[in-house]
Amino acid sequence: MQAVILVGGEGTRLRPLTSTVPKPVVPLVDRPFISYMLEWLCAHGIDDVIMSCGFLATSVRNVLGDGSSYGIRLRFVEEPDPRGTAGALKFAESMLDERFLMLNGDVLTDIDLTEQIAQHERTGAKATLALVPVDDPSAYGLVHLEDDRAVRDFVEKPSSDRIDTNLISAGAYVLERETLELVPPGRNVSIEREVWPRLIGAGLYGYPSEAYWLDIGTPARYLQGTFDILEGNVQTAVRERLGDSYLSVSEDAQVLGRAVPPAVIESGAIVAEGAHVGSLVVLGHDVKIGAGTTVERAVILNGSEIGENCVLRDCIVAAGCRVGAGTHIQEGAVLGEGVTVGADNAIAGGARIFPGVTLPDGAIKF
Ligand code: GDD
Ligand code: MG
């Protein structure tokens, strides 16, 4: 079966991680984010994937290649200008089969697509939307169902007075090609605002799921997704890699200090004596952690070097950063690629430092 993944958004809310790397290929634990989606699709028999790209399409293609490493056929479509969620699909129309999946490319989930497709066939739907419950539906598409799972009402980004259920569209749809007849060609069209409302009562169904689901669009949710993968709350290939110990230390990594699971420590990484790493930590390839430093609930990407006696908690450090001795980075702070922070700084409160910035010793006490 075929799937179209929409990856045309700029990922602005995930900056500075997406300032230098497009969102689909931002590393999550040990692989590009979009790999989780491709592996999930493979597990449900999808063997033909079309990536609908906009922003930085070439770098997505460079990382993923032709899909052969995933055992799928992978093709890329680039819109001349952003066409919106339905317009992007219309633009790929000539490549589409009679029935296919459409996925928003920014969610981490293990929804049972096989069951969703089976329900789609049973009901004879034109479109079947996977649905999940969330605490706050205001940032999503709210859905009310009839008893037979036909959609009664779809409200995109509902105002608070319209929120009386917690079921939202998970961004995973089974579609019949004929739904594209509702989409005018050559302009920006939103599937949520212009197509779903017109399909109500005419073949639009919902498939409620209790599966794991997370939109990884912000640094806080990126960290949450990392922790859920490490703890095995979502079914991914990383779970196998972690084994029963929930600790994966690459053969040539050197851990002289302590590593507390769940954690992943990649090749070439060095954890010096007296350093404490974990729990819920990812150290990328060639990361260096200085003596006496503590790293908890944090992600440190390839080649970053953290000095002695630092404290890093609830933070993300992108690739190629340098952090001087005695510096504290906490409370959701994010360092973009290649940032240098001198000794004895204190960075906290969700601060985001953009790629390539240099902070001298003792410059910030946040
Ligand atoms: N190719 C292309 N072109 N892709 C696009 C475009 C475009 O013009 N606009 C958005 N996308 C991609 C984004 O990259 C993302 O993967 C997906 O389409 C959804 O867009 P978002 O901007 O992330 O939408 P949202 O999160 O506010 O809302 C959507 O997702 C929710 C679930 O996370 C809606 O579909 C909601 O109904 C849904 O609940
Ligand atoms: Mg989104």
Side-chain angles (χ1 to χ4, degrees):
M1 195 167 169
Q2 189 178 54
V4 181
I5 309 181
L6 293 187
V7 290
E10 287 189 41
T12 47
R13 291 174 305 162
L14 206 51
R15 283 180 188 155
L17 296 179
T18 45
S19 304
T20 46
V21 183
K23 189 158 150 184
V25 291
V26 166
L28 185 63
V29 183
D30 65 350
R31 58 199 76 199
F33 168 68
I34 201 76
S35 295
Y36 294 93
M37 195 154 234
L38 295 176
E39 287 158 8
W40 166 59
L41 291 171
C42 281
H44 291 282
I46 288 21
D47 54 7
D48 181 13
V49 174
I50 298 165
M51 290 271 180
S52 169
C53 306
F55 188 64
L56 298 178
T58 315
S59 37
V60 179
R61 194 182 283 140
N62 289 346
V63 174
L64 297 179
D66 62 359
S68 49
S69 58
Y70 300 91
I72 52 174
R73 175 182 193 199
L74 188 57
R75 288 174 289 171
F76 296 83
V77 186
E78 238 172 289
E79 304 142 58
D81 45 274
R83 290 284 164 90
T85 44
L89 194 63
K90 187 76 176 176
F91 190 71
E93 188 169 15
S94 63
M95 299 162 86
L96 297 175
D97 294 343
E98 282 307 311
R99 177 177 295 154
F100 56 90
L101 293 174
M102 175 172 168
L103 293 314
N104 286 352
D106 58 356
V107 296
L108 176 66
T109 181
D110 53 16
I111 286 173
D112 189 342
L113 294 170
T114 305
E115 261 302 305
Q116 185 182 349
I117 295 165
Q119 179 189 306
H120 181 84
E121 288 175 0
R122 249 190 340 265
T123 56
K126 288 201 181 131
T128 302
L129 320 183
L131 308 176
V132 288
V134 294
D135 292 337
D136 177 9
S138 60
Y140 305 106
L142 190 70
V143 177
H144 292 98
L145 288 186
E146 308 282 7
D147 291 342
D148 67 352
R149 297 192 171 177
V151 172
R152 179 169 10 114
D153 202 16
F154 185 96
V155 193
E156 184 64 18
K157 313 281 185 288
S159 52
S160 54
D161 56 317
R162 298 210 57 183
I163 299 176
D164 51 1
T165 171
N166 62 354
L167 265 195
I168 60 124
S169 166
Y173 326 121
V174 190
L175 291 179
E176 296 299 306
R177 194 169 191 268
E178 61 179 284
T179 52
L180 284 170
E181 288 165 15
L182 297 173
V183 184
R187 71 162 171 94
N188 189 301
V189 184
S190 156
I191 207 161
E192 296 86 356
R193 295 179 196 276
E194 296 180 62
V195 178
W196 303 149
R198 292 176 62 194
L199 273 177
I200 291 172
L204 187 64
Y205 283 79
Y207 166 73
S209 169
E210 296 287 314
Y212 179 91
W213 184 87
L214 186 72
D215 177 326
I216 65 139
T218 63
R221 294 213 219 106
Y222 172 92
L223 275 179
Q224 187 60 52
T226 302
F227 303 158
D228 287 330
I229 291 167
L230 291 176
E231 287 185 320
N233 294 337
V234 50
Q235 285 178 42
T236 70
V238 178
R239 178 67 199 85
E240 229 167 87
R241 175 179 171 188
L242 286 165
D244 292 337
S245 66
Y246 282 82
L247 186 64
S248 173
V249 180
S250 289
E251 258 173 37
D252 70 343
Q254 285 182 58
V255 180
L256 306 171
R258 255 183 97 196
V260 179
V264 166
I265 301 177
E266 298 286 24
S267 66
I270 300 174
V271 177
E273 274 167 33
H276 179 121
V277 168
S279 64
L280 297 170
V281 166
V282 175
L283 301 186
H285 299 275
D286 303 316
V287 164
K288 301 204 171 22
I289 304 296
T293 285
T294 296
V295 185
E296 277 174 3
R297 301 173 56 87
V299 176
I300 304 179
L301 296 176
N302 295 353
S304 285
E305 297 185 7
I306 314 300
E308 297 181 358
N309 301 314
C310 293
V311 175
L312 279 76
R313 274 199 194 101
D314 297 292
C315 65
I316 306 167
V317 176
C321 293
R322 300 274 171 283
V323 175
T327 283
H328 291 207
I329 304 175
Q330 304 192 83
E331 295 171 6
V334 187
L335 305 196
E337 213 171 304
V339 165
T340 301
V341 179
D344 299 316
N345 283 285
I347 299 169
R352 299 181 186 201
I353 304 185
F354 278 74
V357 167
T358 297
L359 296 176
D361 293 352
I364 293 193
K365 298 283 180 201
F366 207 86

